[in-house]
Amino acid sequence: MISSRLDWFVESNGVLHNSQAGFRRKRNTTDHIVQLELDIKEGFSQKESTVAVYLDICKAYDCVWIHGLLFKLASIGVKGCLLGWISNFLTCRVLCVRIGNHLSEFKDVKTGVPQGAVLSPPHFNIMLYDFPSFPPRIKKLLFTDDITIYARVKKFMQAEIILQPCLEKIRLWGRKWKFRFSGEKSTAMVSTRATHNPGDDPLLFISGQRLRTVRISLFL
């Protein structure tokens, strides 16, 4: 009931960006796949390559800053009994580990939204409602905690100039809301018809780590 009410409020007030397709009615992963495919093909028609960055948030649901989430809920207009109920649901939680008949000491849960709870996906969407915006030539695709940004370029070096400031903006946003992006699990993908030269791969970094680059060469 609370989840349905919260979804209605968020959608009625246009809280989430159109690029967010995760756990929203009449939206799914196909929306993003089709959008990216169309942009890649349009780029090919204009002799451009598409450089996309797929970002991984470290332990996304477990690292949600609870007080930051409550602040964002209040900032979008969730208040009164509903905000109080959500606050009680997320705070003062404890956990322990059970092995056989033995229980560990109880520990306070200070961060994170409960894994598997019906409220966790909409809560995470709200945590990302103010995800950074970029110039029109740079597009973003969000599916809850899966984040993709991409741009079409004539030369791969342009991707460094265009996308790296965006990655830095994302890093600073994550730092503000206590999210950390994994450079090891994040990846850059180049869709191109140009001849493969490893030395041409764009140098892109997140959290001080260079992103691994995957090149898809298409000659259709």
Side-chain angles (χ1 to χ4, degrees):
M1 182 181 68
I2 297 296
S3 178
S4 297
R5 184 66 178 174
L6 188 59
D7 285 341
W8 173 86
F9 178 86
V10 166
E11 297 296 343
S12 299
N13 290 279
V15 173
L16 302 181
H17 194 273
N18 286 333
S19 62
Q20 177 60 270
F23 296 95
R24 301 177 70 184
R25 291 182 179 179
K26 299 181 181 180
R27 296 170 183 255
N28 54 49
T29 53
T30 306
D31 299 338
H32 288 347
I33 294 172
V34 171
Q35 179 65 59
L36 182 57
E37 181 186 15
L38 288 174
D39 283 331
I40 290 174
K41 288 183 176 178
E42 185 176 345
F44 286 165
S45 68
Q46 299 180 22
K47 297 182 179 180
E48 294 178 324
S49 301
T50 298
V51 179
V53 176
Y54 301 90
L55 295 173
D56 177 82
I57 301 178
C58 298
K59 299 180 181 179
Y61 278 62
D62 292 334
C63 292
V64 171
W65 180 25
I66 294 175
H67 293 295
L69 172 60
L70 295 175
F71 172 83
K72 288 192 176 185
L73 285 165
S75 69
I76 65 174
V78 178
K79 53 187 177 181
C81 293
L82 181 57
L83 182 62
W85 188 95
I86 293 173
S87 176
N88 288 337
F89 176 70
L90 293 175
T91 57
C92 300
R93 302 175 71 93
V94 296
L95 61 80
C96 68
V97 176
R98 179 172 185 168
I99 301 177
N101 295 324
H102 301 280
L103 289 177
S104 69
E105 295 181 3
F106 283 88
K107 298 290 184 180
D108 293 331
V109 179
K110 299 180 179 179
T111 61
V113 290
Q115 291 281 355
V118 69
L119 275 173
S120 295
H123 281 166
F124 200 91
N125 280 350
I126 291 171
M127 280 300 293
L128 266 66
Y129 92 91
D130 62 344
F131 190 79
S133 298
F134 310 115
R137 70 177 301 180
I138 301 165
K139 296 186 178 181
K140 64 180 179 181
L141 304 174
L142 308 177
F143 194 90
T144 313
D145 60 328
D146 294 317
I147 300 169
T148 302
I149 64 170
Y150 65 95
R152 301 200 319 247
V153 296
K154 293 288 187 182
K155 297 181 179 180
F156 298 134
M157 185 176 294
Q158 292 176 316
E160 300 175 16
I161 299 172
I162 296 170
L163 292 176
Q164 188 57 53
C166 299
L167 292 173
E168 180 61 16
K169 191 174 182 180
I170 291 171
R171 185 191 69 81
L172 293 175
W173 172 87
R175 180 179 178 182
K176 177 180 179 180
W177 297 108
K178 302 187 185 300
F179 285 125
R180 187 170 64 86
F181 293 88
S182 171
E184 295 178 355
K185 295 183 179 179
S186 299
T187 304
M189 184 183 77
V190 178
S191 300
T192 183
R193 284 180 171 173
T195 304
H196 182 207
N197 182 353
D200 292 337
D201 290 340
L203 297 174
L204 297 169
F205 299 83
I206 188 74
S207 300
Q209 292 180 292
R210 181 183 175 182
L211 299 180
R212 180 174 63 93
T213 301
V214 176
R215 182 184 289 244
I216 299 177
S217 299
L218 301 173
F219 301 98
L220 301 178

